Amino acid sequence: MLTTLDESLLHQAAATFAAAVTSDHRFYDRCFLSFADPERRAVVGVTIGVYKNMNVTDAGVAVVGGTVQHNVRASRALRPLHTPHIVGPIHYEVLEPMRRLRLQLAPGPYPTAFDVQWHSRIDPFLEGETVQYVNGRLATHVQRYDQAGEADGWLEIEGNRVSVRSWYGVRDHSWGVRRDVGGFEPMTGATASTDAGYLIIWLVFRIDDCAGYLQVWQDGDGRSTKMEGMLRWTAGSGREDARVVAFEDDVEFQPGTRNYMRARFKLRTHEGSEWVIEAERLGAPIVMRGTGYERGFDDGKGLGVFRGEQHLEFDSYDVAADPQVHKLGSGEAVHSLQREQIVTVRLNGKAGHGDLTILPFGAIPRYGLRALDAKERQIVKLNESG
């Protein structure tokens, strides 16, 4: 099957762009984008993905205003319409590669809508590949890039329309093979214990003409198993990229939870410069289950699952007592570990904004975090098993 992308001279295999080279059902290509009001009135998260071997494209939106998060999730058959990237009321359009995007949520039977252009003056950061094996089987092989930017346009929540002007945002775009795609994961043996502690830190931020990226994976004792990061300035600044080579963290968690309140990182870059990053939460986080992550669709099967030619669902969360999140109306508890949190950032005292995700699992004694309880174990098991 031919697509408009096949008009380009960018093929990398003897196949059209309609097909994936691998037959693994978990092959995906997905974007996540956010934008947030510096005055704390609202934060928005948008995700859209394509799963060629499942014949699916799906998308999710979460809009947090005050203590309520409104969610819209949609899915459709991918073929024959590969592009444009429209999934029900959710639209994603590339206006200028690596520079300008348009995001839309059309009005519907839910209390929110928006139309914004997301843009950036600073080139994205290309992460190193993530490769993981489970019982000898390739479970994850992912490539990703990240970018800091801002959004302009309008946002409507419960009939109140606000102007979006230079709202801070980030995005990441990843593709490859990963777990928790397509509704199931092949069983190849006993799963790893969830008792062993580990910590994931992911930060993208911008301060005037500088942007930064940081990703660190640590074991429960604080030893880094993966560390990468970079500072980058706008084109024409005359400054070269500064690569992170050393890292120290100090995170303050909300008592009795795995949600952080603020964090302080000390960095050293390859040319010998030292940097201090201070980050503090700005408003409520996005509970990612609302966008379809963590098996967040109503059928409990998660991302990349075929749900027919067209599918639309929506709900709202009470996030006032996060992490004790509940669905509005039913009062049903929402069990979710992943939060996307907009933060204020200071880089050597200079102010800006960022998106800081901190995911602690298992026992991390230096932060007073114990082993997972039975409910948390079940969430991790679902996330890792697909």
Side-chain angles (χ1 to χ4, degrees):
M1 176 182 177
L2 288 171
T3 73
T4 54
L5 295 174
D6 290 304
E7 189 72 273
S8 74
L9 302 178
L10 299 174
H11 292 84
Q12 293 181 309
T16 70
F17 278 92
V21 175
T22 177
S23 62
D24 194 320
H25 75 278
R26 302 167 308 159
F27 183 80
Y28 80 103
D29 198 334
R30 185 162 64 233
C31 294
F32 170 77
L33 305 97
S34 67
F35 55 96
D37 180 9
E39 298 180 8
R40 304 185 181 221
R41 291 174 296 177
V43 57
V44 179
V46 183
T47 181
I48 185 166
V50 168
Y51 317 86
K52 291 181 179 179
N53 293 333
M54 295 297 293
N55 191 30
V56 169
T57 179
D58 59 24
V61 166
V63 178
V64 184
T67 60
V68 176
Q69 175 175 313
H70 299 295
N71 307 304
V72 179
R73 296 176 293 274
S75 177
R76 68 167 172 86
L78 175 63
R79 298 173 177 86
L81 185 63
H82 278 259
T83 54
H85 297 305
I86 299 174
V87 188
I90 303 169
H91 298 206
Y92 169 89
E93 181 182 3
V94 177
L95 302 177
E96 182 182 352
M98 308 298 176
R99 284 290 180 264
R100 290 191 304 124
L101 308 166
R102 187 180 183 186
L103 306 172
Q104 295 174 277
L105 174 64
Y110 36 79
T112 186
F114 55 78
D115 187 348
V116 302
Q117 285 197 24
W118 193 105
H119 49 95
S120 179
R121 295 180 296 118
I122 300 179
D123 291 339
F125 300 96
L126 181 64
E127 296 184 12
E129 293 181 42
T130 299
V131 181
Q132 296 174 314
Y133 286 84
V134 174
N135 296 320
R137 179 176 182 270
L138 183 65
T140 302
H141 187 185
V142 170
Q143 181 73 74
R144 179 184 288 107
Y145 62 81
D146 314 294
Q147 191 171 26
E150 58 188 39
D152 293 284
W154 58 264
L155 167 67
E156 187 172 292
I157 308 177
E158 298 180 350
N160 179 34
R161 180 172 292 198
V162 297
S163 178
V164 175
R165 290 289 177 265
S166 298
W167 285 19
Y168 174 79
V170 307
R171 69 165 177 145
D172 76 64
H173 181 177
S174 65
W175 61 93
V177 171
R178 68 183 299 172
R179 289 176 282 185
D180 200 20
V181 169
F184 68 96
E185 186 74 12
M187 180 61 69
T188 58
T191 57
S193 169
T194 56
D195 290 335
Y198 65 99
L199 181 70
I200 299 175
I201 297 171
W202 182 88
L203 170 65
V204 177
F205 67 91
R206 194 196 72 225
I207 296 173
D208 293 335
D209 62 346
C210 175
Y213 153 71
L214 181 67
Q215 183 173 195
V216 177
W217 295 35
Q218 296 178 342
D219 64 19
D221 295 321
R223 292 184 292 262
S224 294
T225 58
K226 177 178 182 178
M227 182 193 70
E228 59 183 46
M230 188 171 292
L231 301 179
R232 173 168 291 162
W233 287 263
T234 53
S237 68
R239 303 192 64 169
E240 296 183 356
D241 293 350
R243 179 172 47 85
V244 175
V245 296
F247 169 86
E248 296 178 21
D249 59 286
D250 183 10
V251 181
E252 179 184 337
F253 288 92
Q254 184 179 347
T257 78
R258 293 179 180 270
N259 286 6
Y260 74 88
M261 300 301 295
R262 56 189 59 85
R264 188 174 189 269
F265 307 129
K266 292 179 65 176
L267 314 177
R268 188 173 72 250
T269 49
H270 75 280
E271 83 292 4
S273 299
E274 294 187 349
W275 307 84
V276 174
I277 298 174
E278 297 169 291
E280 187 165 352
R281 288 173 49 151
L282 178 65
I286 300 169
V287 179
M288 289 300 290
R289 186 176 177 86
T291 67
Y293 282 52
E294 298 184 302
R295 293 193 169 200
F297 277 84
D298 287 346
D299 59 15
K301 295 181 179 179
L303 299 166
V305 173
F306 188 80
R307 297 181 171 90
E309 293 300 315
Q310 295 284 343
H311 176 83
L312 177 67
E313 60 188 52
F314 47 91
D315 52 27
S316 298
Y317 295 166
D318 179 354
V319 297
D322 182 66
Q324 283 74 45
V325 175
H326 296 83
K327 287 188 178 181
L328 286 181
S330 70
E332 176 187 349
V334 177
H335 302 302
S336 177
L337 292 177
Q338 185 171 347
R339 306 289 197 269
E340 290 290 332
Q341 178 67 62
I342 299 297
V343 292
T344 59
V345 172
R346 288 190 176 274
L347 178 67
N348 285 1
K350 198 171 184 179
H353 293 88
D355 184 325
L356 172 60
T357 297
I358 299 180
L359 294 174
F361 297 93
I364 306 178
R366 65 196 178 96
Y367 285 133
L369 299 177
R370 47 163 177 71
L372 298 179
D373 62 25
K375 183 179 295 182
E376 292 166 332
R377 287 171 187 264
Q378 183 64 18
I379 296 172
V380 172
K381 183 178 179 181
L382 286 174
N383 291 344
E384 292 189 345
S385 68

